[in-house]
Structures are given as C-alpha cells and as structure tokens.
Amino acid sequence: MYKALLVNKDTWWVGVNDLETDMFESLWTLPQGVAYNAYVVKGTSATAAIDTVKGPWVDEYFRKVEEALEGRRLDYLVVNHMEPDHAGLISQLRSRWPGLKVVGNPKTMPLLKGYHGVEQDTVTVKDGDTLDLGGHVLQFFTVPMLHWPESMATFDTSTGVLFSNDAFGGFGVHEGGLFDDQKNRARWEDEMLRYYAAIVARYSNIVQVALKKLGGLDIKNIFPSHGTLFRTDVKQVIGLYDRWSRYEAERGAVVAYGSMYGNTRRMAEGVCAGLAEAGIEDIHLFDTARQDLSFILRDIWRYKGFALLACTYNTQLFPAMESLCSKLLNRMPKKRVLGIAGSYSWSKGALTALQEFAEKVKLEKVGPEVEVYTSPTPEDLARCAEMGRNLGAAILAGTVESPN
Ligand code: FEO
C-alpha cells in the first residue's frame, strides 16, 4: 500500500507491507510477508499516532505520517505495545517532533527507557483513562500478555474504532484493500489463525479475560497492528477469538510425522487411511522436517484430533518432532484427542518420548500406541489404521460441523 489511507473519520492508516522479512520473530515463515499497521488520529485540538512500525521502514512510515498530518504537528504517540515491530521508530518520531508526548501504561515505561532511553515527555495512563484530542476521545485498556505484559488496546470513543495491536492480527501483507470485505475471507482467516497459534495461543485464558474487559464497548471497527482491518462483521471476528481461546475445534485431524527414510511416513499414511475409513474428510498430513511448524500449530488449533508419529534419532525423539512437542507444551492445547506412534532401529527412544509428551500435555489419548522396528509390517500398518479409526471416532463424537 503505497500511501496513507483514510480508514475512518480523521483516522489514517500509515502502515507498511514487509515482504522482505523471511521469519517473524526469527521463528515463523512468512510466505506472504507481514504488514505493520500503524495509524494517525487527528482531533481538532491535537493529533496522535497509534504505534509505529519496524525500524527499517522509517522512510515509508514518515512519508505516510506526513501525508496524514497534512501540515499539522504530531502531539502524541500512543504505544500500545513495546515490541520492536510496532515501537521501532519511537526515537525518530521524538526527534522529528520535539516535545512529542509518549503515552503508555506503567509497564510500558521501563521498556521505553530500555529500548529508547526515553524518560521525559511521557504520559502514564491507567486502565480506562482517556485522552481528548478534540472530537476524538481515546480510551486505554490494558490487555496484559496480548502479547507482552504492557500490551494495551486503544478505543476511539467517537468512532468506535478499537486499535487492538497484536490481538486480532494476522500474517500476510495487504495485496489490495486493507479491509475484511475487500479480501478473500479464507485467506485472511487462515493467516489470522496461524498468527494466533504461533503468537497468542499460549495466553488463551487471558484472551478470554480481555474479551470480557472489552465486551462492554460499542466496537464498530477493529484495527489491529498486523493484517486485515475489520469493519464489516466485527462480532464475527470477536467470535473467532472467543472460539480459539476456548479451544473449540472443528471436525478434522492433523497427522504430523518425523521420518528419515519414509518408514514412519508410511505409518502416518496408515493413520490417515484409518481416519478416512472413520469418515473424517479434513485430514492434514505434515512432514515436521519440511513444514514450518506454525502451519501445524494452526491446524492443531483448528481441528479436534491429531496424531504424532516419529522415528528415533540418536536414542531420542526425531529433532523436528521434538521441536513441535516443545511448542505444543508451551501452548498447552485443550479439548483435543491425541494418538502417538514411534519407530526405531538400533535403539528405542521415540515412543517413550512421545508418551512423556502425552502425559505432560494432558489430552485425551486414543490407542493403540504403535511402536515399529525398522520398517512397518502389514500388521503394524493395520494397527496404525486402527489408531486412525479410533481417532476418527473420537473426533466425530466430540465435534460439530465447521461453524463457517
Ligand atoms: Fe506484533 Fe507482539 O508484536
């Protein structure tokens, strides 16, 4: 998006598209990039920027802010979140507009000092405090751990716009319009859920607290700091966050495997065949060594059942599967059904590690657990299919059709 865009009354989008960063947080692949959305609100008596963007985009961001300001000075910067993808240009803004007041909550201030050395010209706000720009009254709500302790959402009481920062954000750049009604829903929802699973999911119980806190507001638009801006059916978008943070699942399954020579892959295909025999249509088979784990996490967050199958590597769990298990334990999905299987040649190890994972993750488990020596026999594959059928039956018993 090449210029500042008016997105509501006196409210401008001044964000940027980043198609150059390969890995978000140096962890999650970005096949369609990521957008850093930032905003300018112009009242009759004062102006405010809501967040900035990542440092390298300084020229483009400043050009858009100047376009939006149309000759006025910038009076305030509201810092909803101090992570550098949104707070990268605080120092530059203060240099450009000396005396600019930086607005944050008590937990913002140490980070502001740490990252930018800023201790003066700050305004510390508490939950529910307001800032009157003249015709636009901004109200601040702390939403701790969405996605850092100092995270905050800013509500424009005049327009009903909620600047939600990471909450409701998604991966992917703006390829055309900014708004939900200008984009393909399946694409933005997929990337919003992948963002949720990778960045937010660990704090799902806190999402519920935040939704209750913001529930009394008359929210007409949600403008996050990544991805799509929502103006069409805001209740439906809030409903997505409500579902994901309550671990509600759709009818379908993930089968993720780690395999060096294809033997464990064949076991995984056996599980898939059993799932299909049970009547499961949405089956997603992933090679953990070749698929960015954010896609696997996304689909585990979407579907009711998942199976993990891995070979043993140097007496331990295959490394890519180990990484997936570690990420799942960090997020602790709930209300899911799990099946596990392992393989080995000169030393056991994988199945034991998956059993330990299953105990820690505390999910309902289906059998049989399958352990295969070298390559699977027809009997081994039949047991994998049996696990798939059992997983399928548990999925059908515990889900309804997709709400969409
Ligand atoms: Fe998009 Fe937590 O920063």
Side-chain angles (χ1 to χ4, degrees), residues 24 81 83 85-86 147-148 165-166 195 199 226:
F24 193 77
H81 182 20
E83 197 163 7
D85 52 338
H86 309 295
H147 124 257
W148 278 9
N165 197 266
D166 278 342
Y195 186 90
I199 311 297
H226 301 289

Side-chain angles (χ1 to χ4, degrees), residues 109-135:
M109 297 306 160
L111 293 163
L112 191 59
K113 181 182 174 191
Y115 276 114
H116 298 280
V118 175
E119 292 185 272
Q120 292 187 330
D121 293 327
T122 62
V123 178
T124 303
V125 294
K126 300 184 304 298
D127 233 0
D129 280 359
T130 57
L131 174 65
D132 192 347
L133 304 176

Side-chain angles (χ1 to χ4, degrees), residues 50-125:
I50 314 279
D51 293 317
T52 70
V53 301
K54 198 173 164 184
W57 303 93
V58 57
D59 291 345
E60 186 170 337
Y61 171 74
F62 269 81
R63 179 166 48 75
K64 289 174 182 171
V65 171
E66 300 273 12
E67 281 172 20
L69 287 171
E70 297 173 304
R72 291 178 65 181
R73 69 164 268 121
L74 189 62
D75 300 301
Y76 294 96
L77 167 64
V78 175
V79 179
N80 277 333
H81 182 20
M82 274 302 301
E83 197 163 7
D85 52 338
H86 309 295
L89 297 174
I90 291 176
S91 300
Q92 291 87 334
L93 273 186
R94 293 178 79 241
S95 299
R96 168 68 183 83
W97 285 284
L100 173 83
K101 298 276 189 292
V102 182
V103 181
N105 62 68
K107 289 184 177 165
T108 314
M109 297 306 160
L111 293 163
L112 191 59
K113 181 182 174 191
Y115 276 114
H116 298 280
V118 175
E119 292 185 272
Q120 292 187 330
D121 293 327
T122 62
V123 178
T124 303
V125 294

Side-chain angles (χ1 to χ4, degrees), residues 252-256 272 281-286 298-299 302-303:
V254 168
V255 178
C272 290
E281 294 175 355
D282 267 329
I283 302 167
H284 298 263
L285 178 64
F286 290 110
R298 177 196 70 190
D299 283 352
R302 174 175 283 155
Y303 295 115

Side-chain angles (χ1 to χ4, degrees), residues 304-323:
K304 179 71 178 174
F306 66 103
L308 303 180
L309 303 93
C311 59
T312 304
Y313 187 82
N314 282 344
T315 75
Q316 295 177 353
L317 191 57
F318 183 69
M321 181 60 75
E322 198 170 47
S323 179

Side-chain angles (χ1 to χ4, degrees), residues 29 31 171 190-198 292 294-295 298:
T29 192
F171 294 126
D190 268 359
E191 284 293 75
M192 186 176 162
L193 178 53
R194 189 165 71 94
Y195 186 90
Y196 184 89
D292 188 89
S294 60
F295 291 95
R298 177 196 70 190

